Amino acid sequence: MYGAAVEVEDEVLRFHREAFVVDLHNDLLTKLVLRGGDLGKRHGAQAIYNPLAFDIDVPKLKEGGVDALGCLLFAGMGLMARRRFWKQLEEFDRLFDKHPELMRARSAADLRAAKASGRIALFLGIEGALAVEDDATALQKLADAGVRFFGICWNKTNKAGVSSFDKKNGGGLSTIGREIIGECNRLGIMVDVSHASKRTFWDLLDASKTPVFSSHSGCEALKNHPRNLDDEQLRAVGKQGGVVGIIFAANFLAGLFESTVETICDHLEHVVEVAGEDAVALGSDFDGFVPLPRGMRDVRDLPRITQILWKRGFGERRLKKLLGENFLRYFEQFN
Ligand SMILES: [Zn+2]
């Protein structure tokens, strides 16, 4: 399933490595809690889809020319969810002792400092309100631990807001959800609209005093999927100065067997067409237990996106924005 290799030309690879490359969303910390492992080791691609294989490790991050990664604390599933949530934070803290190539980041300035020193910046986000839904003040503790962005729900509706997969519930952000967003604004935490139902999405835009962003979604105009954003939503995120990180999940892009790296590029281009060149970003969902499109084996293949868009005549200026500068600009407001 990993066929459709894309040859990356030397000139494009050089450009990609110089550009600031930020990937807004991965579930590496969940995977580390579930299976353990050494990120200093290089993990090969699997012949068939293996949800427990690592899409991300330090050697592959270098090969993929990645400068910064949004790492998620996942709070959404099972009886052990709360315990696992806090364990992910411990895993995050441990990474920096084990791997001097990685740097803990809390700001756009940290992201730039990491690149300047040849390191890869890791910054924290939360996926799902579980850890804070009974107590919005818990966000203070998480902000102190370095959390910089917050998504209200995962695939299931919680006390804070309705999920995009919830067909029965037409509701949006709850009173608790509004309180949490108020806390996010107070603490300078960015609001992530991925996974929110349509109504929750519009409520988030209304409730948040700062521009919102989407860390990992696709475009509904290209593939009708509950997790994708329609054109009106894309335009709204762009208009208020946010960014949309395009997810690489094959089933969100075109279909499990139809999606390729070209399809990722179609979604990226669609964001540019609808929301403008300042609104597009990368939000792979690597290590998120999602099947990747053909040709995207793991994080080492990110330069293939640059190659395809280069060939499509995207231009260096717009490519730099898409690869990371748009997100840096957005993040800078929260320093
Ligand atoms: Zn997700």
Side-chain angles (χ1 to χ4, degrees), residues 25 27 72 74 127 153-155 192 194-195 215-216 227 247 252 285 288 290:
H25 195 110
D27 290 314
L72 273 295
F74 172 69
E127 184 162 30
C153 53
W154 183 62
N155 289 345
D192 179 1
S194 289
H195 283 286
S215 72
H216 64 313
R227 280 277 287 101
I247 194 169
F252 291 29
D285 208 7
V290 294

Side-chain angles (χ1 to χ4, degrees), residues 13-24:
L13 195 59
R14 256 197 316 276
F15 167 81
H16 179 93
R17 294 203 188 289
E18 271 169 34
F20 208 108
V21 178
V22 189
D23 184 357
L24 303 185

Side-chain angles (χ1 to χ4, degrees), residues 116-331:
S117 65
R119 285 178 293 171
I120 298 157
L122 268 51
F123 59 101
L124 278 175
I126 296 179
E127 184 162 30
L130 188 82
V132 295
E133 65 187 0
D134 293 321
D135 177 16
T137 60
L139 260 178
Q140 177 75 59
K141 188 177 167 192
L142 288 160
D144 293 344
V147 166
R148 298 312 320 274
F149 66 101
F150 179 86
I152 206 89
C153 53
W154 183 62
N155 289 345
K156 270 175 76 181
T157 295
N158 57 33
K159 289 180 192 168
V162 174
S163 160
S164 69
F165 279 116
D166 192 338
K167 294 222 168 49
K168 287 181 283 205
N169 190 345
L173 199 61
S174 68
T175 307
I176 293 169
R178 283 185 186 268
E179 270 171 39
I180 293 171
I181 297 308
E183 272 294 283
C184 285
N185 288 164
R186 189 180 70 80
L187 295 165
I189 293 175
M190 300 173 272
V191 175
D192 179 1
V193 298
S194 289
H195 283 286
S197 71
K198 299 250 191 236
R199 168 91 185 275
T200 307
F201 170 92
W202 292 107
D203 284 353
L204 285 167
L205 256 79
D206 174 60
S208 179
K209 291 189 181 73
T210 55
V212 302
F213 83 114
S214 174
S215 72
H216 64 313
S217 298
C219 303
E220 194 183 281
L222 301 187
K223 171 76 180 167
N224 193 4
H225 188 285
R227 280 277 287 101
N228 288 346
L229 301 172
D230 63 36
D231 286 357
E232 206 186 332
Q233 290 176 301
L234 294 176
R235 259 191 294 274
V237 173
K239 205 170 159 198
Q240 40 102 67
V243 296
V244 177
I246 287 298
I247 194 169
F248 298 177
N251 48 327
F252 291 29
L253 296 172
L256 271 184
F257 303 104
E258 294 88 349
S259 299
T260 65
V261 189
E262 297 274 355
T263 327
I264 301 174
C265 296
D266 296 342
H267 282 252
L268 290 164
E269 276 206 279
H270 187 79
V271 176
V272 174
E273 276 162 28
V274 172
E277 64 186 44
D278 294 331
V280 67
L282 302 172
S284 68
D285 208 7
F286 281 135
D287 285 323
F289 309 91
V290 294
L292 296 166
R294 262 182 297 134
M296 181 56 66
R297 290 167 298 178
D298 47 45
V299 72
R300 90 187 98 151
D301 287 333
L302 280 183
R304 292 181 174 180
I305 290 175
T306 306
Q307 175 68 48
I308 289 168
L309 290 171
W310 183 283
K311 262 239 157 90
R312 290 186 188 180
F314 214 66
E316 294 189 16
R317 192 182 52 83
R318 283 200 300 174
L319 261 170
K320 278 187 191 163
K321 286 186 176 187
L322 177 152
L323 289 172
E325 282 181 4
N326 281 341
F327 179 72
L328 278 171
R329 181 209 75 232
Y330 171 69
F331 198 3

